Amino acid sequence: MGNLAADMWQQTVDSWRQRDRSAAAALNERDDEMKELYASLIAEIASGRMTVPVTMEMTLVARFYERLADHAYNIARRVVYLAGSAHK
């Protein structure tokens, strides 16, 4: 999840700098991938095989990574809007 979040932010920065609508739009798929990873991790946490302290930490970390991905996607949506209005 950490690698995916970092890659998404790099892609967001690149799309912002270049005002690249296609790169920004591609982040939607990466966001879906993050949601799948998040759901998978939550299912693993819910299985009860981890200790309580580890469960608590993993829950927080998973949520933080998922939110980072959401923010990257939201910025990318703004790039799509900005790039579209620049061509008008």
Side-chain angles (χ1 to χ4, degrees):
M1 289 180 79
N3 289 338
L4 179 58
D7 289 346
M8 287 178 72
W9 270 97
Q10 185 61 56
Q11 190 174 358
T12 299
V13 168
D14 292 343
S15 68
W16 180 269
R17 187 174 346 115
Q18 299 166 3
R19 300 296 194 261
D20 182 358
R21 291 177 67 138
S22 62
L27 277 162
N28 186 33
E29 292 177 26
R30 312 275 328 257
D31 189 51
D32 290 343
E33 184 180 346
M34 179 62 81
K35 286 180 181 10
E36 289 175 17
L37 288 172
Y38 179 76
S40 176
L41 182 57
I42 294 302
E44 178 68 25
I45 289 169
S47 74
R49 292 184 286 210
M50 293 183 224
T51 64
V52 172
V54 171
T55 298
M56 291 171 61
E57 287 294 320
M58 293 301 293
T59 302
L60 288 172
V61 168
R63 182 67 182 139
F64 293 153
Y65 282 139
E66 201 271 334
R67 288 302 300 145
L68 280 170
D70 285 344
H71 290 309
Y73 176 65
N74 288 337
I75 292 169
R77 285 184 22 213
R78 291 177 189 207
V79 170
V80 170
Y81 172 77
L82 290 171
S85 55
H87 294 289
K88 292 181 180 179

